[in-house]
Amino acid sequence: MHFMLLFSRQGKIRLQKWYVAVLDKVKKKIMRELTTIILTRQSKMCSFIEWKDLKIVYKRYASLHFCCAIDPDENELMYLEVIHRYVELLDRYFESVCELDIIFNFEKAYFILDELIMGGEIQETSKIGIIRSIEAQDELQQAETPQGFFEDYGLG
Amino acid sequence: MSAIKQVFNEAVERVKSPTPVRLRDLVRNIRAARTAAEERAVVNKECAYIRSTFKEEDSIWRCRNLAKLLYIHMLGYPAHFGQLECLKLIASPRFTDKRIGYLGAMLLLDERTDVHLLITNSLKNDLNSSVQFIVGLALCTLGAIASPEMSRDLAPEVEKLLKSSNAYIKKKAALCAFRIISKVPDLMEIFIPATRSLLSEKNHGVLITGVILVTEMCEKSPDTLQHFKRTGGKVGSDDMVLVPNLVRILKNLIMSGYSPEHDVSGVSDPFLQVKILRLLRLLGHNDAESSEAMNDILAQVATNTEQSKNVGYSILYETVMTIMHIQSESGLRVLAINILGRFLLKDDKNIRYVALNTLLKCVHHDNYAVQRHRGTILECLKDPDISIRRRAMELCFALLNASNIRSMVKELLTFLEAADPDFKGPCSSNIVLAAEKYAPDKQWLINTLLRVLGAAGNNIRDDVIAITIQLISENSDHQMYVVKNLWLAMSNYSEQEPLVQVSLWCFGEYAENVLAPSDDTQEQVTEEELLTFYQRILFGQYSIATKEYALNSLMKLSARCSLTNINKVKELMSSFACHMHIELQQRGVEFSQLFRFHDHLRGPLFEKIPILEKSTSSTRETSSPVTEKASEEVSLPIQIESNALLDLMGGMETGHEDIVLPKPKATIPTINSKPMNNDIMDLLGGLGSAPEEPPQSSLIEDFALITNSQPLGKISGITAFSKDSLSIHFNFERSPEKPNILSIKMTATNEGPIPMTDFLFQAAVPKTFQLEMLNPSGNVIPPSNSDVAQLKMRIKVSYKVNNEDVMHQAEVNHFPPASWQ
């Protein structure tokens, strides 16, 4: 995978994870272009777009679009599954996730993504395994923060 | 008093809320901003505050401030001043700080900034930490932002962690190694020993990351690929080679019962299955032995996988791709294509898209198997999704052949008429080329061409016009029909420039046909109508090119037919003598000159053009990788010989471009390119037995026919042609080392009393075959029963052994006298 983007229906980026090194300018340009392209696609069209020399796999969940950019010879259908797995994890962690959860707790969304995917490839196929790791790390954070010091969990 | 109160209140405020704004409050404030300017104000204020806090030595709130900064960064504002903060946070002993610090590093830094070098030390410490999650964070960050220098520095640490007993660390280390190798391929050797144990783990995370690592190594370096194939994953005392090992893992996955941990909709660990299939593909490619080992498991996966959800489809898709890329047996390939065919029938358009895409890749190899699904593919031409339509169109072109040309072109023409403008260009070109190649008869061909021109409108490519004109010029018997039809079309389609251009050209060339009385119920075209038409074109909204055509053809018309209204033509011409565009002006002036001073020259000048020479097909698009045409460098001779050859081919598919003259070909390395010499007979390639009929003198010509068919046994020769005391006999031979090459020896025999001179033999074959013509023995066939000199033969043989060229030359003097007397 080259990068993963999450964006709202208005085109606001909610999460961006880049697995290749590109300039900030280029990143912004790519995000603008892709959000425009995907937002103008109708629902009847298929989930794969050929764009430049990459394949874009995208899926809409409620008000959020999840979009991955992969190499042309990769298995697109599998990446649809990867996206679905990520959404399931978010759902499990936040208990019925919605876009607001991801906006206010974006760092946690990143942490979960980093447990699922590393370097652009899947690192763990067991849903419960990932959930357990995340919960353990949260525990660690909680344990080292004396009660009442931060009004809520560390970062607030 | 009020000032004191104000100061007092501010102090109280400061004491009451010393903590920085919470992240969620910042988010709320930003979202509450109603305009972009308001939002910017909030952001700038917060950034200023954050910047000031960063200067402080030790701040417990640093993590919160950095989190806010990261949020601001995600909105699109610059945040590079936070880079150093990330470093401070990473160096902090607290897990909370490290977590946010590393996230910041991954978001704000990448391998090109200089700051990250400073992280290397912290990373090294954290990689050696006793807390597995800290190690995990460090590995994750290293994998994300490692530069080549960092990779080199920290590779030994990663390698050590790869051998750890903790599965959590092991899998992350594997992917970190994967990234390091992509950045610095030289470091691959360090990690190879460690990978062996990865593939024998039970933990799926370690398994999948191990497979990914091995896949990357094999892709990057063919040597490593060989190494893995030989030694593979040694497990303790077992010497398991990689492929059987993977097959075993895959089998366990499929056969084992329900495992809730890895299950996705009834399929157990599809991600791992797909990755293993991918690695198998790499291992089996071009390797018969490995492919053999995989056949069973692939068939099993293909048949057992649950096919109702996307999960199942993704595994099947991967299986199909693997089958196509390795040297699988044909039964398996047919199975794969049938799976794709079933995909095409599904409602889910993702699946259909994927199926069409894959079919396109393998249609050339397994054309016959894909033909069965032709109907479904034609249906996909009508799909609402544009990518599916495009794929279906390309696939249709690949499937066209002589037997299905009529039905397919019918569908394609309907598609063309309704297609988007982007499609019309390539679609029309392809239809025309295919129609040309496989046309069952001329009438159909011309009809199709006219329909294409009519349907494609202005988006047609230039070569189509050229091809159409060339074809019309070749077929003299249909010209009347063409011209009449074009005249009819002009009343409906006169906005379409390519059609107009072709029509104008035809009207000019075949002027007699335009004004001739027609035999059906159509009304005869009168001069008036014709001239009005020309006027409309010349003064209408047409391109310069069309008007050029119009002027030229008007002149031809005036020269060929005796027009009663010649003055009108002269007027038209002279009106163009002062046109703004130079081309038209030039024509106007010169043609008017012709009228005025050289009237007698008009007739001869505008005589009929001879049949147009067909230009070589360099613009051809039809993808047929099987055929490498040496004929692309040969231009056809004009006039009679090509027509004669067409007659020669007769009922065979008219593949003009396959005509190969018996000239030496520099492109094919196996043939020696010496010019034909009547004295020395250069006979190359599969020499068969000496000619059988002694009393008749014959010319021997060898040509090798490379076919796609299965090798047969001994094939009996045939008499290909027998007429007018000339008989041509074909003898067949197939060498066992090269079963794909059929060697045909052509023997031309003169049974009459008069010698035949300037004998030229040409041959053409359908597109699916390749034909190489070797040099004939001569072009004179002496009459039978004449005195012949003693039969001597000098032979030259060349071939390749182990990719080396070998050449032999010999003289054969010892023919038995009975053979040539």
Side-chain angles (χ1 to χ4, degrees):
Chain A
M1 205 194 309
H2 286 237
F3 56 85
M4 179 183 267
L5 294 179
L6 263 70
F7 54 92
S8 70
R9 287 225 248 193
Q10 286 79 38
K12 281 201 125 101
I13 304 281
R14 298 297 175 207
L15 189 147
Q16 45 165 316
K17 185 77 188 186
W18 295 81
Y19 296 105
V20 291
V22 285
L23 289 166
D24 266 346
K25 255 195 331 197
V26 178
K27 279 187 199 172
K28 288 210 172 86
K29 185 155 165 280
I30 291 178
M31 287 194 286
R32 248 200 329 265
E33 273 181 42
L34 274 181
T35 47
T36 329
I37 292 177
I38 293 177
L39 287 171
T40 47
R41 299 261 296 182
Q42 297 148 353
S43 59
K44 279 221 201 64
M45 303 178 104
C46 72
S47 289
F48 314 122
I49 306 176
E50 270 133 48
W51 183 76
K52 302 214 176 147
D53 54 347
L54 298 170
K55 255 200 281 217
I56 310 286
V57 180
Y58 73 93
K59 195 148 184 221
R60 184 175 75 82
Y61 287 87
S63 59
L64 268 183
H65 288 268
F66 287 70
C67 149
C68 292
I70 58 180
D71 282 322
D73 55 350
E74 297 260 8
N75 185 339
E76 308 93 309
L77 298 177
M78 197 197 77
Y79 276 93
L80 277 177
E81 287 302 311
V82 170
I83 292 178
H84 190 70
R85 174 53 68 89
Y86 183 46
V87 172
E88 281 180 339
L89 285 168
L90 289 172
D91 198 45
R92 182 86 171 260
Y93 183 81
F94 287 112
E95 262 130 54
S96 198
V97 67
C98 62
E99 189 181 346
L100 280 178
D101 288 322
I102 301 187
I103 297 174
F104 281 97
N105 298 293
F106 71 94
E107 81 276 8
K108 301 216 173 67
Y110 273 107
F111 295 149
I112 297 178
L113 184 59
D114 284 335
E115 286 295 321
L116 175 66
I117 297 177
M118 196 175 117
E121 299 281 348
I122 289 211
Q123 59 174 299
E124 179 59 68
T125 54
S126 148
K127 233 186 335 192
I128 191 77
I130 297 182
I131 298 285
R132 282 201 205 114
S133 312
I134 296 279
E135 282 174 357
Q137 294 185 63
D138 284 346
E139 275 277 325
L140 210 53
Q141 257 190 254
Q142 186 75 340
E144 69 185 9
T145 310
Q147 280 293 12
F149 194 67
F150 288 149
E151 284 176 55
D152 8 42
Y153 306 105
L155 300 168
Chain B
M1 189 57 188
S2 60
I4 302 173
K5 248 197 184 156
Q6 203 181 355
V7 172
F8 182 70
N9 283 336
E10 273 179 40
V12 169
E13 281 302 314
R14 230 180 300 136
V15 171
K16 257 210 297 193
S17 54
T19 61
V21 177
R22 288 186 302 181
L23 173 62
R24 63 184 61 184
D25 291 332
L26 173 66
V27 176
R28 268 197 213 106
N29 292 342
I30 292 181
R31 283 168 67 80
R34 267 161 302 170
T35 66
E38 255 187 71
E39 181 181 302
R40 243 174 301 152
V42 175
V43 167
N44 284 336
K45 181 156 164 261
E46 194 58 37
C47 277
Y49 171 75
I50 295 176
R51 231 188 299 232
S52 65
T53 64
F54 280 170
K55 294 200 197 87
E56 291 167 30
E57 262 306 309
D58 186 27
S59 169
I60 49 171
W61 303 111
R62 195 174 282 142
C63 55
R64 184 184 278 187
N65 291 329
L66 187 64
K68 286 187 285 187
L69 186 59
L70 290 177
Y71 181 78
I72 292 174
H73 171 72
M74 188 149 63
L75 291 175
Y77 297 95
H80 39 266
F81 56 88
Q83 288 171 352
L84 277 170
E85 291 317 299
C86 299
L87 299 181
K88 290 190 201 160
L89 278 170
I90 290 171
S92 152
R94 294 177 56 233
F95 182 71
T96 318
D97 289 347
K98 282 192 197 287
R99 225 180 175 193
I100 277 291
Y102 276 121
L103 179 63
M106 284 194 273
L107 287 178
L108 297 177
L109 306 174
D110 60 43
E111 63 190 50
R112 283 158 312 112
T113 55
D114 303 320
V115 185
H116 72 277
L117 281 170
L118 305 169
I119 299 186
T120 312
N121 231 5
S122 309
L123 276 175
K124 204 170 203 159
N125 290 336
D126 285 335
L127 284 173
N128 291 318
S129 163
S130 53
V131 182
Q132 69 172 4
F133 296 118
I134 296 183
V135 179
L137 284 175
L139 282 169
C140 192
T141 312
L142 183 59
I145 65 168
S147 68
E149 295 82 35
M150 272 169 77
S151 312
R152 267 184 242 271
D153 283 337
L154 296 169
E157 310 288 328
V158 176
E159 198 257 337
K160 204 168 45 154
L161 290 168
L162 206 50
K163 299 192 204 130
S164 147
S165 54
N166 182 331
Y168 181 81
I169 294 180
K170 214 164 174 166
K171 70 181 188 203
K172 286 193 190 263
L175 281 181
C176 192
F178 158 75
R179 289 296 287 201
I180 289 181
I181 292 177
S182 351
K183 293 262 160 64
V184 188
D186 301 328
L187 292 172
M188 213 187 294
E189 279 105 40
I190 310 181
F191 297 111
I192 294 183
T195 55
R196 296 226 183 103
S197 64
L198 287 176
L199 293 173
S200 53
E201 288 274 330
K202 288 279 180 316
N203 180 306
H204 283 221
V206 179
L207 261 180
I208 196 173
T209 53
V211 170
I212 293 173
L213 182 57
V214 171
T215 312
E216 179 73 7
M217 285 179 172
C218 294
E219 272 178 11
K220 278 260 163 6
S221 139
D223 294 330
T224 320
L225 177 61
Q226 292 306 321
H227 165 88
F228 273 117
K229 281 198 220 182
R230 297 287 134 62
T231 57
K234 279 202 178 145
V235 181
S237 55
D238 289 316
D239 201 352
M240 286 178 113
V241 188
L242 190 57
V243 171
N245 204 4
L246 290 172
V247 169
R248 179 187 59 88
I249 298 175
L250 197 49
K251 203 171 208 156
N252 286 342
L253 271 179
I254 310 176
M255 301 312 244
S256 64
Y258 177 71
S259 141
E261 196 175 334
H262 303 289
D263 179 271
V264 180
S265 310
V267 183
S268 83
D269 211 341
F271 305 108
L272 183 56
Q273 288 194 37
V274 165
K275 287 292 176 198
I276 292 183
L277 285 166
R278 182 113 195 244
L279 182 54
L280 284 176
R281 188 179 350 159
L282 205 58
L283 293 172
H285 183 63
N286 274 344
D287 183 332
E289 199 190 312
S290 306
S291 309
E292 182 66 38
M294 292 178 215
N295 273 329
D296 287 334
I297 191 67
L298 288 174
Q300 217 175 355
V301 174
T303 41
N304 283 357
T305 309
E306 171 93 19
Q307 277 193 54
S308 50
K309 294 235 170 134
N310 189 55
V311 201
Y313 296 138
S314 60
I315 297 182
L316 282 173
Y317 176 40
E318 194 71 35
T319 317
V320 166
M321 295 224 278
T322 303
I323 293 177
M324 287 299 151
H325 272 91
I326 65 175
Q327 297 181 330
S328 47
E329 51 189 28
S330 60
L332 207 53
R333 292 187 89 94
V334 172
L335 175 64
I337 300 213
N338 287 343
I339 291 179
L340 290 176
R342 255 178 297 149
F343 274 12
L344 279 179
L345 297 168
K346 304 279 177 207
D347 283 330
D348 188 342
K349 66 191 74 309
N350 295 335
I351 315 283
R352 277 215 297 262
Y353 173 85
V354 153
L356 284 172
N357 222 359
T358 322
L359 278 173
L360 196 58
K361 286 188 205 136
C362 55
V363 70
H364 303 297
H365 207 272
D366 303 280
N367 198 306
Y368 182 68
V370 182
Q371 290 282 357
R372 288 178 56 193
H373 304 283
R374 209 171 55 228
T376 334
I377 297 174
L378 284 172
E379 282 302 310
C380 289
L381 279 175
K382 302 181 193 124
D383 198 282
D385 185 331
I386 191 166
S387 342
I388 292 187
R389 282 206 300 271
R390 177 181 289 134
R391 289 279 171 298
M393 177 182 87
E394 287 172 15
L395 204 50
C396 284
F397 286 127
L399 286 177
L400 279 172
N401 62 30
S403 49
N404 58 27
I405 183 80
R406 278 190 203 259
S407 48
M408 295 272 279
V409 169
K410 199 153 72 108
E411 288 289 328
L412 283 169
L413 281 172
T414 331
F415 170 70
L416 180 62
E417 272 153 23
D420 301 323
D422 303 329
F423 282 174
K424 285 200 178 179
C427 189
S428 47
S429 299
N430 278 327
I431 294 182
V432 166
L433 290 169
E436 222 191 324
K437 222 191 313 166
Y438 298 118
D441 58 61
K442 290 289 164 223
Q443 182 88 344
W444 179 90
L445 177 60
I446 293 183
N447 274 340
T448 314
L449 284 175
L450 293 180
R451 268 193 79 183
V452 168
L453 284 173
N458 290 329
N459 304 93
I460 218 166
R461 296 212 192 134
D462 297 330
D463 56 345
V464 176
I465 303 178
I467 294 176
T468 316
I469 291 182
Q470 193 264 334
L471 273 166
I472 296 178
S473 79
E474 265 181 9
N475 302 302
S476 41
D477 26 330
H478 288 106
Q479 281 158 5
M480 166 78 93
Y481 173 77
V482 170
V483 167
K484 290 292 176 194
N485 266 351
L486 283 174
W487 178 254
L488 271 179
M490 278 299 99
S491 46
N492 297 333
Y493 293 111
S494 50
E495 296 81 39
Q496 303 188 346
E497 302 234 11
L499 191 59
V500 170
Q501 286 175 3
V502 173
S503 314
L504 285 170
W505 189 88
C506 291
F507 292 161
E509 263 310 288
Y510 311 117
E512 315 82 42
N513 290 342
V514 179
L515 295 172
S518 55
D519 32 342
D520 33 9
T521 52
Q522 287 168 339
E523 285 169 13
Q524 186 182 350
V525 181
T526 62
E527 257 187 55
E528 283 301 313
E529 287 178 341
L530 203 54
L531 283 174
T532 329
F533 170 69
Y534 272 100
Q535 267 183 311
R536 190 155 54 93
I537 303 283
L538 284 169
F539 296 117
Q541 295 272 24
Y542 289 95
S543 69
I544 300 294
T546 314
K547 294 191 185 178
E548 288 171 18
Y549 271 95
L551 283 176
N552 278 10
S553 85
L554 188 57
M555 279 311 288
K556 285 190 215 164
L557 204 70
S558 71
R560 307 267 185 83
C561 319
S562 47
L563 297 175
T564 48
N565 232 332
I566 199 84
N567 291 322
K568 204 162 181 195
V569 180
K570 285 191 200 170
E571 262 178 52
L572 274 174
M573 280 302 153
S574 39
S575 72
F576 270 86
C578 41
H579 197 272
M580 291 310 294
H581 195 275
I582 183 109
E583 279 283 333
L584 297 175
Q585 193 191 92
Q586 182 180 5
R587 278 162 217 245
V589 166
E590 288 179 358
F591 291 154
S592 312
Q593 292 282 65
L594 268 180
F595 271 121
R596 236 173 283 143
F597 302 118
H598 309 284
D599 208 29
H600 55 284
L601 282 177
R602 271 195 303 128
L605 264 178
F606 291 105
E607 255 185 26
K608 244 200 161 93
I609 303 177
I611 298 179
L612 291 174
E613 191 176 310
K614 187 197 250 323
S615 59
T616 52
S617 49
S618 49
T619 53
R620 177 125 336 143
E621 260 191 349
T622 42
S623 38
S624 33
V626 183
T627 54
E628 306 161 300
K629 291 261 151 29
S631 58
E632 296 206 351
E633 287 138 43
V634 172
S635 62
L636 287 184
I638 320 171
Q639 344 142 341
I640 310 157
E641 271 187 35
S642 61
N643 283 341
L645 191 55
L646 282 178
D647 297 332
L648 187 72
M649 283 298 110
M652 271 171 76
E653 282 112 347
T654 49
H656 311 272
E657 49 282 0
D658 295 318
I659 296 173
V660 174
L661 293 177
K663 267 193 235 159
K665 286 165 268 297
T667 50
I668 303 174
T670 51
I671 299 181
N672 187 16
S673 53
K674 264 227 180 97
M676 193 181 77
N677 194 326
N678 283 339
D679 294 332
I680 304 170
M681 291 190 279
D682 284 346
L683 288 173
L684 310 170
L687 263 186
S689 50
E692 278 111 73
E693 294 106 312
Q696 292 156 344
S697 29
S698 47
L699 267 184
I700 304 166
E701 206 161 284
D702 278 338
F703 43 97
L705 201 63
I706 303 173
T707 74
N708 282 339
S709 53
Q710 300 301 318
L712 304 168
K714 186 87 177 73
I715 316 158
S716 53
I718 57 164
T719 304
F721 173 81
S722 178
K723 204 178 182 182
D724 266 354
S725 75
L726 173 71
S727 77
I728 295 182
H729 196 84
F730 285 164
N731 278 328
F732 302 108
E733 216 177 80
R734 215 190 274 272
S735 121
E737 306 103 54
K738 299 184 186 173
N740 274 351
I741 300 184
L742 174 70
S743 192
I744 305 181
K745 196 199 303 179
M746 186 282 280
T747 312
T749 315
N750 177 0
E751 284 152 3
I754 313 166
M756 296 178 178
T757 56
D758 287 308
F759 183 82
L760 183 64
F761 181 80
Q762 291 170 303
V765 288
K767 261 259 195 268
T768 48
F769 297 98
Q770 247 182 340
L771 177 65
E772 283 171 29
M773 298 247 304
L774 310 176
N775 291 322
S777 56
N779 67 352
V780 175
I781 317 178
S784 57
N785 293 330
S786 66
D787 289 318
V788 291
Q790 189 204 2
L791 179 61
K792 278 192 237 179
M793 195 187 289
R794 195 174 291 181
I795 58 175
K796 200 185 247 180
V797 185
S798 72
Y799 54 94
K800 272 197 181 173
V801 170
N802 283 337
N803 271 331
E804 277 173 7
D805 286 297
V806 185
M807 217 146 68
H808 292 302
Q809 213 171 316
E811 207 172 283
V812 185
N813 289 330
H814 49 277
F815 283 96
S819 66
W820 48 268
Q821 268 166 359

